[in-house]
Amino acid sequence: MDVLVYNRAAWDRAVAEGNPWTVPVSSEAVAKAREGLWEVVLTPQKPVPRDWFPPLEGLDLLALASGGGQQGPLLAAAGANVTVFDNSPAQLAQDRHVAERDGLEIRTVQGDMRDLSVFGDASFDLIVHPCSNTFVPDVLPVWQEAFRVLRRGGILLAGIVNPVVFTVDPELDQQGIVQMKYPIPYSDLLHLTPAEREGMRDAGVPLSFGHTLEDQIGGQLRAGFMLTALYEDTWSEEHGAIHRYLSPYLATRAVKP
């Protein structure tokens, strides 16, 4: 199965169905961002601290695998020169919709987050990358490419899914029981049955992958980044009983020396 093609179609369908991560920000939010009143998330709920960001005015910013008309438009309204890069044409269309509606300059580029060859070395000052690398089977190329396209002193802000969430038995989880079933690293392609994958296809659910923390955080360090800050985030129990016990999302701030 071609994961890139499958997940592109899944996210295009998510836009049509109004998935919360595909709903563009309002004109009111854009207007506030122009006044300096803005916040964005990399994880489900907790806003990224403002002191994680450099001054945005005139900054070259890559919203990596971040389509949907959410982070990109707000950061553009705050003064950054924003390029939104995403696998889903429908997600990118949401960013263009906001740009046209509210008079923003946003560049949109379709592609695979593991291959940023469309951009030259040292093209950006800041990368904003929400919890989206769970939709590619290998995360190390994401960090390597992010490092390459950043300038010296550039910042990578990334959302990460703790792989422990992928170990849980989904049927028991619906009963409020957290019991481990799958190993890490996890792959929908390897650990689900053909019938389970067919059910995902019918429901339009993207294929997901649980990367080890060694690859998620250690991978950033191996790519050359210096980790400067980290926080955890969670969601409500309706998104999984595991949220009762821990905060399974991470956000990291890393700098290219």
Side-chain angles (χ1 to χ4, degrees):
M1 181 181 293
D2 188 322
V3 174
L4 192 71
V5 171
Y6 175 94
N7 279 351
R8 180 183 304 140
W11 278 105
D12 284 352
R13 177 173 169 177
V15 173
E17 294 177 349
N19 179 290
W21 299 113
T22 73
V23 178
V25 295
S26 67
S27 292
E28 290 75 17
V30 171
K32 288 183 178 179
R34 283 189 163 116
E35 298 172 358
L37 303 174
W38 57 270
E39 59 183 30
V40 297
V41 295
L42 296 170
T43 53
Q45 297 189 109
K46 189 180 294 185
V48 182
R50 285 291 292 267
D51 62 6
W52 279 27
F53 290 88
L56 292 182
E57 190 65 38
L59 199 76
D60 293 323
L61 186 154
L62 176 63
L64 178 59
S66 184
Q70 298 182 358
Q71 293 95 348
L74 292 179
L75 296 168
N81 303 318
V82 173
T83 298
V84 180
F85 187 92
D86 201 274
N87 181 36
S88 163
Q91 281 281 72
L92 292 172
Q94 300 293 65
D95 290 277
R96 290 194 295 272
H97 164 71
V98 179
E100 293 167 4
R101 182 192 70 194
D102 298 324
L104 299 171
E105 292 289 335
I106 297 177
R107 178 189 180 193
T108 60
V109 181
Q110 182 185 331
D112 181 347
M113 69 182 85
R114 299 165 296 178
D115 179 8
L116 303 181
S117 57
V118 66
F119 307 121
D121 295 353
S123 294
F124 299 98
D125 304 298
L126 174 66
I127 294 177
V128 174
H129 177 53
C131 288
S132 51
N133 61 47
T134 187
F135 302 114
V136 290
D138 45 346
V139 70
L140 295 179
V142 178
W143 307 135
Q144 293 159 358
E145 281 289 83
F147 188 86
R148 181 184 64 80
V149 301
L150 275 174
R151 298 175 180 130
R152 284 191 175 184
I155 299 169
L156 168 68
L157 306 181
I160 291 171
V161 181
N162 189 319
V164 71
V165 301
F166 294 97
T167 68
V168 175
D169 185 318
E171 293 184 5
L172 292 177
D173 185 63
Q174 293 177 4
Q175 304 171 38
I177 300 170
V178 179
Q179 180 172 304
M180 289 186 172
K181 180 178 181 179
Y182 302 113
I184 296 299
Y186 170 83
S187 165
D188 279 342
L189 292 177
L190 298 177
H191 297 116
L192 296 184
T193 66
E196 289 170 332
R197 287 197 300 274
E198 190 61 31
M200 289 180 61
R201 182 190 292 273
D202 292 342
V205 177
L207 292 167
S208 293
F209 305 86
H211 306 296
T212 64
L213 291 179
E214 182 176 340
D215 282 351
Q216 287 279 30
I217 298 176
Q220 292 184 37
L221 300 176
R222 291 199 299 277
F225 286 104
M226 291 174 43
L227 190 67
T228 62
L230 179 150
Y231 65 82
E232 295 178 310
D233 195 11
T234 189
W235 224 347
S236 62
E237 285 188 38
E238 67 183 76
H239 297 283
I242 196 169
H243 296 278
R244 187 188 314 147
Y245 301 104
L246 78 158
S247 298
Y249 299 93
L250 306 170
T252 58
R253 182 185 189 273
V255 176
K256 178 176 179 176

